[in-house]
Each structure stands twice: as C-alpha cells, then as structure tokens.
Amino acid sequence: MSDNKPRYNTSRFPGKTRDSKPNSKPPSRPVSKPSAAGREQADQLRTGDRIVVTVKRLGINGEGVGYYRRKAVFIEGAIPGEVVKAEVTKLSDKFISAAIKEIEKRSPYRVDAPCPVFGICGGCQIQHLSYEGQLAGKEDMVREAFSRYAGLQDVRIKPMLGMEHPWNYRNKAQLQLGMAQEGVIAGLYAADSHKLIDITGCPIQHPKINEAVDRTRNVLQQLQIPVYREKSNQGLVRTIVVRWGFQSEQLQVTLVTASDKLPRQAELIKALRLAMPDLTSIAMNVNPKNTSLVFGNKTVILWGEDSIRESLGDLEFTLSPRAFFQLNPIQTVKLYETVRAAAGLTGRETVVDAYCGTGTIGLWLAPYASEVRGIESIPEAVEDAKANAARNGRGNASFYAGYAEELLPRWVKSGFAPDVIVADPPRTGLDPRFLEAVLRTKPKRFIYVSCNPSTLAKDCKVLLDGGYTIDWVQPVDMFPQTSHVECVVLLQWKNG
C-alpha cells in the first residue's frame, strides 16, 4: 500500500481554474453550473448538479458520507464534520456519488497528506485526516455498522487501539514493475486503471523495504534485465516482493518472473548483494500466466537462505517467499493479546481456531489452554501451522485441513465440545453453515476477529438471534492511513 496527493486537484477549489484550450468565440456571459435549487426530491437530481452536503461519517472505503434529502451521498476526499459543495457524478436508487468543488466548512482534523502520490496510487485513503481524526472516524465506522446491520445502538465499543507512530509499519512490499520515461518504475496500479504509479519512498512501508525496492529496481535497470509488458506479453520481471524482519532484521528479495530463464543471473546476484549487504535471501518465483495472482507455483532460491526468521512475542516463524505473515507486527501483538483477554483461559479450556491460516492465533493461545485445534481449508497453510507448532514447542496445538462447518459438528458428535471458538474469516465473513454449527455447538465464548465491520455486524446479528450476547467490541488500527479497521468481538452464550 502507499499514499497519495489529495484526491482532488487544486483546480476544483474556488479561485482556481483548469487550463483550457483557447476558444475563438468565448461565451458572451459566464456559463453557470446547474444547481439543485428548487428540486425538492433527491430523485429529481441530475448529473452535474451542485449540492451542499454536511459530512456525517467515513464510509467503508474512506469516503465522506452525508445526506441530501435523506439520500446517502458519497464524496471522496470529504471529512466528517465538513460542509462541502459537491458536484453530482453518479445517481442510483440508493445513493448519490459526488465530487468536492468547494469546502465551505473545513474540519480541524484535515491535514496535508505527506505522500506526493496520495489520491493517485490508491494504497491509502485517509492520509488527509489527522491520526486522531482517523481513529475517531474508524470507531464511528464500527458503531454505524452495528447500528445498521445488527440493530444495536448501545453496543460497548472500546477505544481504538492505535499506533504511537502510525507510519513505516508495513514489513512487506509487493510492487509491480513497469517502464516510464525515466526508466524502470515499481509501484501500484491506480484505482480502476492499468496506470502504474511509482511509489518510491512510500511512508507506510518500513524504510528498509523502500531502500531494498529502490536498489533492486536500479540493479535491474543497470543490467538491462527486461521488465515484463503485459500488453505485448514480452519481457521477464513482473514484480518485486521485499520482506523485512522487524525482530530478526533479515531481508528477503523475491523477483516474480514470467519465465524461469533469468539472464545474467550470476551478475544479478552479485550486484544485489553489493547493493544490499544485509540481504539474507534472493529468490525467483515463476508465474508465466496472464493472471491477477502475483505468485506462480514454482519458487527457486537464487542465493542465501530459503526463508527468513521473524517473531511475534515468544513465537518464532520461518517465512518462505510465499508464506503469509501479518503486515503490521506491532499491531498484531495488540490484536492477539486482545483475543487472549477475550478467551479468558485458565489452562483447562479447549479451543477451536477456525479459519486459522498458518496457526498464529491458535499458537498464541496454546500456552493458556488445555488443547487447541485449528481448522483451515488451504492445505499448504495447515502444513505451515503444523511446522510452526513444532518449531515453538506447542504440543497441545494440532491443525486440520478442511472446513469448519464440516469438522466442528463431527468433533462435537465424537465428544469434543470446545469451550472457546475463535474465528478470523476473510472480508466476506463467516460461512452461514459455520454460524449454524456454532449455534448448535454453543461454546461459552465465541471470539470474532474481523477486517470488515459490515459483515462482522451482520454475522453477529445471527449469533445474537441464536442466543449470544456481545460483551464488547475492540477495534484495532492494523493499517493506519487506510480505511481498513480490524475488530475483536467477545460474544458469550446467555446460559453459559
């Protein structure tokens, strides 16, 4: 992810005009923009109309949300508390999209985004909001979701767990390569386009990541190793993937290529090692397919170790080029400690870690439980979880490939009834069959870890209707400068 300039040009503010081509026949009087005045219903609006909107909250994608004649208006770049004059860009039955033309009342939380490509690269959405404003906006986002989707007006939401330094927190970059007038560039594609935006010096990535990307790109250019061009299906190197161990201080560089034929390989390895003396591993991943997936199935270690080490608390992990690991290790510890507090373990409880991935949450809880069982549908992740358990001496943690909605009822039938279930699903939320299985199992505590407040609230409504109560919701700011918000929710069985 990266950051960007304001999403609107200065030309959209009053007193500024866009450059225009000379017109031999200028209009005899100024051309006024259409106004919504006199249109009493939102349904009467037209594209291009100007409306005045008071921004109430942040939307799920970081846009400002207000209302015009009781209809929701989404305004990119607007901030809660501001009054803006906006131009209607899209109309639908349920909402209006609009673009800022003038800020009539400015929020005290509005700041100048430090990144030169904020608003262009799409990696960050709310750099123009002070960090205090970001935390408040994200808390409101969670509160709105529970109100809208679960019908809860008084759910107990704890203050957001933020970062002392909300920058330089990402331990991994995965950047596409392309050619520009100045040479090879590494970056992200602009939203809804195939235009590659150079994100050199991205302020949410660790400085070691930025340095390694820059030096790797320079070496590729110096050795004239061809960059892949999607349109012509020519060239070689598609993507640079760099990972830095915050605790181990080890550096891993992976080149994703369209072919396993790497020209000037020995020179490349030598040049990369000279450019980055702290390198631990150089790898090549081969992805010959024209696909949105970054990695292919084949990975070759060109030099150094086949993985780097990293740790969370007292847990140590080895990370191969394709291995999943949390992108913000500082906040991950806060997240996992919140889960542990919610679990209320005394050493006698049995725990199921559903959607367990590589087993990090289950392994975090294992020293405080009698037994932990993890379930994950991706077999490779299960193998990683087993290896992580063995490496860290978590003998009471076991991991199974399969689907929680199938394995959980089977275990209960055989006599294993968990006291605590933890679920950390993807953004789409919990499978309805899994929710049914939980309601049949009735664990005393259900801990929901979510990266999407909307699906979280919807799933919690099902659990509430089935006999659970919400003790509290703890938001955690895993990705400052972006609109993403993580939550931990403790639900307890009413009769438990």
Side-chain angles (χ1 to χ4, degrees), residues 191-212:
D192 303 320
S193 83
H194 236 58
K195 182 180 180 182
L196 192 64
I197 306 300
D198 187 347
I199 64 166
T200 298
C202 172
I204 66 170
Q205 290 174 174
H206 191 281
K208 280 286 185 181
I209 297 284
N210 289 327
E211 178 185 276

Side-chain angles (χ1 to χ4, degrees), residues 456-493:
L456 168 66
K458 291 174 185 177
D459 290 343
C460 282
K461 179 68 165 61
V462 176
L463 294 168
L464 292 170
D465 291 344
Y468 279 88
T469 59
I470 293 178
D471 264 30
W472 46 257
V473 180
Q474 175 64 76
V476 183
D477 193 21
M478 294 292 288
F479 301 105
Q481 318 308 324
T482 79
S483 59
H484 300 293
V485 56
E486 200 97 4
C487 288
V488 178
V489 181
L490 170 58
L491 297 106
Q492 297 208 59
W493 182 245

Side-chain angles (χ1 to χ4, degrees), residues 98 110 228:
R110 181 176 286 278
Y228 180 74

Side-chain angles (χ1 to χ4, degrees), residues 117-176:
V117 291
F118 174 68
I120 304 172
C121 95
C124 296
Q125 299 83 37
I126 53 174
Q127 270 195 34
H128 60 311
L129 190 55
S130 71
Y131 194 53
E132 181 185 0
Q134 290 183 28
L135 296 183
K138 291 182 181 185
E139 278 189 38
D140 284 345
M141 196 184 297
V142 175
R143 197 176 304 279
E144 168 70 17
F146 275 94
S147 173
R148 178 181 295 268
Y149 299 112
L152 297 177
Q153 310 300 327
D154 56 353
V155 64
R156 182 188 173 197
I157 299 178
K158 295 185 177 184
M160 174 86 68
L161 294 178
M163 295 190 76
E164 184 177 347
H165 179 68
W167 303 96
N168 310 128
Y169 60 81
R170 283 181 63 96
N171 61 7
K172 181 182 177 183
Q174 196 165 276
L175 304 181
Q176 307 305 310

Side-chain angles (χ1 to χ4, degrees), residues 1 15 28 49 62-63 92 111 116 123 145 167 193 196 204 233 271 291 329 345 362 370 383 415 454 470 478 484:
M1 291 188 190
S28 57
D49 279 348
E63 70 276 36
S92 78
V111 296
W167 303 96
S193 83
L196 192 64
I204 66 170
N233 195 29
T291 171
L345 302 174
S370 170
E383 292 307 310
S454 299
I470 293 178
M478 294 292 288
H484 300 293

